[in-house]
Amino acid sequence: MTETAAAPESVVIVGAGQAGGETAAELRRQGFTGRVTIVGEEPYVPYKRPPLSKTYLAGTATTESLYVLSAASMEKANIGFIGGTRATAIDRGGRTLVLADGRKLTYGKLVLATGGRPRMLTVPGADLPGIHVVRGIQDVDRIREQFASGKRLVIVGGGYIGLEVAAVATKAGLTVTVLESMPRVLQRVTAPEMSAFYEKVHREAGVDVRTGVQIAGFEAQNGALHVKLVGADLEADLVIVGIGLIANTELASEAGLAVDNGIIVDEFTRTSDPDIHAAGDCTNHPSEFLGRRVRLESVQNAMEQGRAVAANIMGKATQYANVPWFWSDQYDLKLQMVGMSAGFDQVVLRGDPARRSFATFYLKDGVMLACDTVSRPQEFMLAKKMVGMKARVDASKLADESIPLKDQVPPG
């Protein structure tokens, strides 16, 4: 890292999620003494979203436990917070952020950590009461009002969010049906072997998993929701939709910043305006590891990119370079994934899925592209290193559990 410029007098951060909170905290850790202000649409101080579909929905986590930065810690660090207010415009020439309530905040550097919003269904009746998404604290609070044993829950989407909610709901005694439009759950992120494992786990827990399903619409009848499928109907007391995320890029786009499946940033987290940085789910950044641009929706990306933003604002030229990794908690299982499996030509299974602890490796020409592990934290850490170094491996040894994985990590 090299010193490149003096730190600005003030930083305004739009977005009170993991990326926004991490950026503010890291600025203070790095010794920034100027004004820091976070602007959030929700009334809450920056908080973590992954627990929403797990422990917070289950009622085992409090609202306060979600906070990235508590009100007290923000006050101690002299970080300002404006909540419950939307940023509506950026005056780049005047270096001013305009808020919905008419206030204007001047900035030396602006950080866009605007995250994303749930993709909505476009079928008739998709806006009926009782149809929910899981994105914010208030979303889950509304769901929990109906979340009771014996209730009929239909989940639209067999991705991380849908399956995590299914696991919590089943444990809470709800009757759960998961509807996935693709031929298998988790299809966008993992191999058929892993999809088959999770479908089996959920069915054994009592979840009705239906794949290749098309939804025609919803109707409210006699106090129930009728989920109209192509060829059949389902009755539900509540519906939760988890079919992906749309990056919040409108503020950036309207300000004339470059946008393409996210806010375009360079390797130093700068947008097309050098006084404006961006971090988290909303960014499209160059990935040296992947050799292409990518938009990632993950906590680690939000945190690490937020830290890089802070370093760059402090005048330390810091390239954001990471190996993507993700996780999902379902029942007693922890799924951990590293790398991106697109383009693999071989799948290697290590361990027996029947024992609910195994790993799946994705290779291309003998090079490890990615790895998914189920309840194997030690092997995940080794796989993370191997994927990061693009290790060339012997598939037969990889599959052989008598050969420790640590002995297969190349030197370096």
Side-chain angles (χ1 to χ4, degrees):
M1 297 188 294
T2 58
E3 298 293 332
T4 58
E9 293 184 1
S10 64
V11 177
V12 175
I13 300 166
V14 183
Q18 196 98 41
E22 194 66 33
T23 301
E26 185 66 16
L27 281 167
R28 291 301 189 222
R29 282 193 290 264
Q30 297 220 12
F32 181 67
T33 57
R35 176 167 51 85
V36 178
T37 307
I38 299 175
V39 177
E41 282 194 38
E42 296 178 77
Y44 308 100
V45 296
Y47 68 91
K48 298 173 266 189
R49 296 187 190 275
L52 292 177
S53 58
K54 299 182 275 286
T55 53
Y56 189 70
L57 177 60
T60 57
T62 63
T63 303
E64 291 73 23
S65 72
L66 303 180
Y67 294 156
V68 175
L69 294 170
S70 68
S73 65
M74 291 176 73
E75 184 177 357
K76 184 177 180 181
N78 193 24
I79 297 170
F81 176 65
I82 300 173
T85 307
R86 187 167 57 90
T88 56
I90 302 167
D91 174 1
R92 290 166 55 189
R95 291 192 180 187
T96 303
L97 180 72
V98 182
L99 305 186
D101 61 10
R103 277 182 285 183
K104 296 182 178 180
L105 305 177
T106 58
Y107 64 83
K109 295 288 185 183
L110 180 66
V111 180
L112 300 180
T114 49
R117 59 188 181 277
R119 189 177 299 278
M120 307 302 289
L121 289 167
T122 56
V123 298
D127 57 351
L128 284 170
I131 299 179
H132 305 274
V133 295
V134 178
R135 183 60 182 170
I137 288 173
Q138 291 173 333
D139 294 327
V140 180
D141 287 346
R142 283 189 289 268
I143 291 168
R144 282 166 61 175
E145 291 173 5
Q146 298 178 272
F147 212 71
S149 181
K151 293 284 189 179
R152 299 162 299 178
L153 167 63
V154 170
I155 298 169
V156 181
Y160 296 132
I161 293 290
L163 296 184
E164 287 168 0
V165 169
V168 173
T170 299
K171 188 174 180 180
L174 283 79
T175 301
V176 182
T177 303
V178 172
L179 306 177
E180 169 56 53
S181 63
M182 301 188 85
R184 54 187 176 87
V185 302
L186 299 172
Q187 181 164 328
R188 294 178 181 85
V189 295
T190 195
E193 293 87 345
M194 193 64 75
S195 295
F197 170 76
Y198 272 96
E199 286 180 20
K200 184 172 186 288
V201 164
H202 280 277
R203 288 183 176 124
E204 287 177 348
V207 178
D208 180 1
V209 179
R210 305 187 190 186
T211 56
V213 174
Q214 300 301 317
I215 296 174
F218 301 91
E219 290 181 359
Q221 295 179 15
N222 302 320
L225 284 165
H226 282 251
V227 185
K228 303 182 75 62
L229 309 178
V230 176
D233 279 5
L234 277 174
E235 276 199 357
D237 296 300
L238 68 159
V239 172
I240 296 175
V241 178
I243 55 172
L245 199 70
I246 298 172
N248 290 328
T249 61
E250 290 78 8
L251 186 65
S253 181
E254 289 166 10
L257 301 178
V259 168
D260 182 12
N261 183 31
I263 302 169
I264 297 290
V265 296
D266 65 11
E267 65 271 30
F268 298 103
T269 70
R270 296 173 299 206
T271 70
S272 51
D273 181 330
D275 290 324
I276 303 177
H277 292 252
D281 291 359
C282 66
T283 65
N284 180 327
H285 67 271
S287 168
E288 184 178 349
F289 171 73
L290 296 173
R292 60 179 173 84
R293 285 190 160 273
V294 67
R295 187 174 70 81
L296 296 172
E297 298 167 11
S298 75
V299 169
Q300 59 84 209
N301 174 66
M303 292 177 66
E304 292 176 17
Q305 201 170 29
R307 292 174 195 145
V309 165
N312 283 309
I313 287 174
M314 289 297 291
K316 303 169 184 175
T318 302
Q319 291 193 42
Y320 177 59
N322 78 321
V323 178
W325 63 274
F326 316 86
W327 84 90
S328 176
D329 294 322
Q330 298 169 42
Y331 306 106
D332 59 336
L333 304 170
K334 179 173 282 292
L335 171 62
Q336 293 174 288
M337 317 173 85
V338 61
M340 304 286 266
S341 60
F344 70 88
D345 56 25
Q346 186 177 9
V347 176
V348 178
L349 192 65
R350 180 178 176 88
D352 183 2
R355 296 183 178 177
R356 296 167 70 93
S357 172
F358 64 102
T360 303
F361 298 91
Y362 304 85
L363 313 182
K364 182 176 175 60
D365 299 326
V367 173
M368 192 183 296
L369 296 180
C371 174
D372 305 337
T373 66
V374 174
S375 301
R376 290 198 170 195
Q378 291 80 17
E379 288 198 346
F380 175 73
M381 296 308 296
L382 293 167
K384 194 175 174 186
K385 182 177 181 181
M386 296 169 82
V387 169
M389 65 195 304
K390 298 183 178 178
R392 186 168 294 279
V393 294
D394 182 326
S396 62
K397 290 182 179 178
L398 205 57
D400 188 347
E401 288 196 279
S402 70
I403 305 174
L405 190 60
K406 63 182 177 63
D407 295 344
Q408 301 181 53
V409 180

